[in-house]
Amino acid sequence: MQSLSDKIFMFSLILLMVSVVISGIGFQFVNWRSQVTDELDGETKDSSSRKKSVIDRQDKSLRRVLRSYLFWISVAGILVSIGLSLF
């Protein structure tokens, strides 16, 4: 029973990481360098509007993750594996 619980937990953990990458951050890391240079070039722009746009982008990413079915399936798998390990 313990080995089954461990396998379910590892599969759910991998699924959780995949769902966060696909739903949440996606492939934003590819464009990260260009975003950094754009922010440094636009340093004279209004700082509060730049911060607000960054926060809005992060909020949208978090909402996409929480609406993802893969995320909730992986969380359920983790909870099932914890329940199996207790018995």
Side-chain angles (χ1 to χ4, degrees):
M1 190 65 87
Q2 186 68 28
S3 66
L4 177 65
S5 173
D6 290 342
K7 289 177 185 177
I8 291 173
F9 184 81
M10 290 305 292
F11 176 75
S12 298
L13 192 61
I14 291 169
L15 186 63
L16 179 66
M17 289 186 283
V18 167
S19 70
V20 167
V21 168
I22 290 174
S23 300
I25 61 173
F27 295 101
Q28 293 177 3
F29 60 87
V30 174
N31 298 328
W32 181 74
R33 284 188 177 259
S34 64
Q35 289 174 355
V36 170
T37 56
D38 290 343
E39 287 181 6
L40 292 176
D41 292 341
E43 199 165 323
T44 59
K45 292 181 181 177
D46 188 12
S47 176
S48 63
S49 66
R50 187 168 16 115
K51 288 179 185 177
K52 184 177 180 339
S53 68
V54 169
I55 290 172
D56 289 341
R57 186 172 58 226
Q58 290 172 351
D59 287 345
K60 287 179 185 177
S61 295
L62 182 61
R63 276 188 238 127
R64 281 194 307 262
V65 169
L66 293 178
R67 286 186 293 173
S68 171
Y69 288 117
L70 289 177
F71 174 79
W72 291 111
I73 291 171
S74 63
V75 169
I78 289 172
L79 293 176
V80 166
S81 70
I82 290 172
L84 287 175
S85 68
L86 293 177
F87 294 111

